Amino acid sequence: YHSIALRGTDGSVRAWGWNHFGQLGDGTRADRWSPVTVAGQTGMVSIAAGFHHSLARSGAGYAVAWGWNGHGQLGDGTTTDRPLAVPVPNLPTGVAALTAGGYHSLAITGAGTVAAWGWNYFGQLGDGTTVSRLVPTTVAGPLTARKLAGGGLHTLAA
């Protein structure tokens, strides 16, 4: 119910739509019918949106997340919603890519390994369990990836 866009001139992130959980990242919970700037975020090179949360990756390779966090999909070790972007800890520096599923999130590290966090009821985190994760957890098996896609209740890697 929300959209995000990456502004190419300065790497800022814009968001609009429903904002009940703070998924627009402007520090409020007010719905916005035109784009607002995600507070404090510039120098971003990629973005991803889940059902009610969003992620961004900087040119320096760090990740931030904001919005609904009921299943730990922000990766900050809590289930507290965040209307402002917070860093995703426990990710190696040099995050190469991010994607968001419905209620989960994933990253490709600089080494090509995949980390996943959030809701895992259907095994969508790929760690061999159905245990939800509040912080990034390495995907099971000898997996290296160049691309990721997160669906509502599944994940794909290539």
Side-chain angles (χ1 to χ4, degrees):
Y1 302 110
H2 75 292
S3 299
I4 58 175
L6 181 63
R7 189 169 181 201
T9 56
D10 63 359
S12 63
V13 181
R14 306 295 171 97
W16 61 98
W18 192 50
N19 196 27
H20 182 76
F21 301 106
Q23 61 265 40
L24 302 186
D26 66 349
T28 75
R29 293 181 190 273
D31 298 342
R32 307 292 184 169
W33 310 126
S34 59
V36 294
T37 301
V38 174
Q41 302 307 310
T42 59
M44 298 297 155
V45 297
S46 67
I47 55 176
F51 286 159
H52 308 300
H53 75 289
S54 299
L55 306 160
R57 179 179 63 91
S58 76
Y62 67 85
V64 295
W66 61 95
W68 189 55
N69 197 26
H71 295 289
Q73 60 267 42
L74 302 186
D76 67 352
T78 75
T79 55
T80 303
D81 300 344
R82 306 290 182 180
L84 293 169
V86 295
V88 179
N90 302 320
L91 277 177
T93 57
V95 172
L98 286 172
T99 194
Y103 303 111
H104 64 291
S105 304
L106 301 104
I108 299 175
T109 69
T113 60
V114 177
W117 58 99
W119 197 39
N120 196 28
Y121 185 81
F122 298 102
Q124 60 267 43
L125 300 186
D127 66 354
T129 75
T130 56
V131 176
S132 296
R133 305 294 179 174
L134 302 181
V135 296
T137 303
T138 302
V139 170
L143 174 69
T144 57
R146 292 177 288 120
K147 295 180 182 181
L148 288 173
L153 302 173
H154 67 285
T155 303
L156 304 166

